[in-house]
Amino acid sequence: MFNTVKTLIESRISTGRYDASRPVSDEAVTELVRLATRAPSAYNFQNWKFITVRSPEAKARLQAVSYGQRQVVDAPVTFIICGTLAAYEGLPQALQPALDAGILQQATVDGWVAQAKDNHVANPQLQRDEAMRSASLAAMTLMFAAQGMGLSTGAMSGFDPAGVAQEFGLADHEIPVILITAGYPAEGNWPQKPRKALDEVMVLA
Ligand SMILES: Cc1cc2nc3c(=O)[nH]c(=O)nc-3n(C[C@H](O)[C@H](O)[C@H](O)COP(=O)(O)O)c2cc1C
């Protein structure tokens, strides 16, 4: 098990060149979103949204607001992963299944809902931070899920958030956090690039 995960982590590359002739099935796209939603989020907010861009028309609109980056057209699917603000408002509904399953008790749910409201209502920065955290964790989960299904992915922040929001009808409380392209790689992608030495980034405390 560890070896499988380690292999996925070490073999993942940021794919820019896709084999446009190899499609990804509807089932695979749905399964990727399902697995991405297994990512953790604060209080189990699940404050995310996944827009699956697959039609030539939608791809062209996305490319126009992604600085013309070609991979959003060549990849069979690009996920626009959004984080949502004011997540505390939807928390009771988000936690209901855990309550029904007996995983959380009513007192715990009530405590979390009250605490989230207290902390988030007057703190737009925290709302945004949590939106970015949730969407980013979901994005990474989706990337490894794709890798495990034999697909390759690429993360992208090279897009105009206002343009994406307008083109894809996002509400004011929905922030486009990251794009993830996915599909089968073509020739010519870089291998995974070397990372900084651990002693530059790791601190023992
Ligand atoms: C948040 C984020 C934004 C990125 N934006 C872009 C992008 O807009 N276009 C692009 O070609 N690559 C983009 N990349 C890919 C990075 O360049 C790539 O992950 C990095 O060079 C490391 O590559 P590797 O993991 O294959 O070694 C992005 C990656 C991340 C994590």
Side-chain angles (χ1 to χ4, degrees):
M1 176 65 178
F2 177 67
N3 268 333
T4 306
V5 174
K6 186 170 128 74
T7 302
L8 288 180
I9 291 170
E10 291 183 338
S11 62
R12 185 205 51 77
I13 62 165
S14 291
T15 302
R17 297 186 184 192
Y18 286 94
D19 182 346
S21 70
R22 291 189 69 185
V24 172
S25 69
D26 293 351
E27 292 74 21
V29 170
T30 302
E31 178 66 353
L32 286 173
V33 175
R34 188 187 74 80
L35 290 169
T37 67
R38 293 300 183 100
S41 54
Y43 300 108
N44 202 20
F45 271 148
Q46 303 164 69
N47 50 333
W48 43 47
K49 179 169 172 175
F50 304 82
I51 299 170
T52 60
V53 177
R54 301 182 72 195
S55 70
E57 173 274 326
K59 288 179 177 182
R61 282 192 290 122
L62 184 57
Q63 186 185 29
V65 291
S66 303
Y67 308 113
Q69 294 194 74
R70 173 77 201 246
Q71 61 268 43
V72 300
V73 171
D74 290 343
V77 56
T78 298
F79 299 88
I80 304 172
I81 304 189
C82 306
T84 56
L85 304 174
Y88 60 90
E89 288 176 358
L91 188 55
Q93 294 88 321
L95 294 180
Q96 189 64 45
L99 191 64
D100 294 342
I103 296 169
L104 297 179
Q105 301 306 305
Q106 186 69 56
T108 306
V109 170
D110 292 347
W112 286 12
V113 169
Q115 190 181 59
K117 197 170 170 191
D118 275 359
N119 293 341
H120 284 249
V121 167
N123 193 339
Q125 178 68 51
L126 180 58
Q127 291 182 32
R128 190 177 165 85
D129 288 348
E130 291 302 357
M132 302 301 270
R133 278 192 269 264
S134 297
S136 298
L137 286 166
M140 195 72 239
T141 303
L142 189 150
M143 285 196 278
F144 283 125
Q147 188 81 5
M149 289 162 59
L151 297 167
S152 203
T153 59
M156 293 172 58
S157 61
F159 61 88
D160 167 28
V164 169
Q166 182 170 350
E167 285 297 333
F168 293 90
L170 300 186
D172 287 345
H173 69 285
E174 295 168 340
I175 302 171
V177 173
I178 194 165
L179 308 183
I180 304 293
T181 54
Y184 294 94
E187 294 294 311
N189 287 294
W190 287 312
Q192 194 180 89
K193 302 170 203 81
R195 298 306 199 243
K196 293 179 180 177
L198 273 189
D199 62 7
E200 285 184 62
V201 299
M202 182 174 168
V203 178
L204 302 178

